[in-house]
Amino acid sequence: MHEMALAEGILQVLEERASTDAYARVRKVWLEIGPLACVEPQALRFSFDVVASGTLAEGADLEIVQTEARAWCLPCAQSVAIAQRFDACPRCGGHQLQVTSGEQLRIKELEVD
Ligand SMILES: [Zn+2]
């Protein structure tokens, strides 16, 4: 379950930012996750609750924002939206796609005290 490792990574970022941004508690975290990151939101919430226990982020809400995945289609020579990694191009039906975004996982916003 790689969600546990991701949750630990998120907590690490929150703790590092706490010293630069001077906050003591994290109330809510907005996370942007691309559809190709292969993250199960329920599993990530559960993992985050576990790793945040006893830290500055204990009991913080995790708000997961799904973003869009995009790929560059060679035959169409343009950027198209895809739902999954091996989807065909929605315009020409071809498979000569290079994924350009959709794998990201980043902290978009924080609510802190
Ligand atoms: Zn195409």
Side-chain angles (χ1 to χ4, degrees):
M1 191 164 91
H2 76 141
E3 281 82 2
M4 191 59 87
L6 291 172
E8 282 169 355
I10 294 162
L11 183 67
Q12 205 178 344
V13 172
L14 296 178
E15 287 181 331
E16 281 165 11
R17 280 199 197 171
S19 51
T20 48
D21 295 357
Y23 57 77
R25 295 286 300 170
V26 177
R27 299 285 172 204
K28 196 167 178 177
V29 180
W30 282 265
L31 262 191
E32 248 184 22
I33 299 180
L36 310 182
C38 297
V39 174
E40 179 56 54
Q42 283 299 96
L44 185 59
R45 278 204 189 88
F46 171 79
S47 302
F48 187 74
D49 278 351
V50 173
V51 300
S53 173
T55 73
L56 81 177
E58 180 163 11
D61 283 334
L62 208 55
E63 194 71 42
I64 292 170
V65 184
Q66 290 272 5
T67 61
E68 195 183 56
R70 298 198 72 86
W72 181 261
C73 178
L74 289 173
C76 297
Q78 62 175 264
S79 177
V80 295
I82 54 168
Q84 290 164 40
R85 186 175 302 276
F86 299 111
D87 274 5
C89 170
R91 293 177 57 88
C92 69
H95 282 88
Q96 287 172 272
L97 296 178
Q98 279 177 329
V99 174
T100 51
S101 71
E103 294 168 330
Q104 76 277 21
L105 184 151
R106 70 181 193 97
I107 296 168
K108 191 176 178 235
E109 215 180 315
L110 291 178
E111 189 182 306
V112 297
D113 283 339

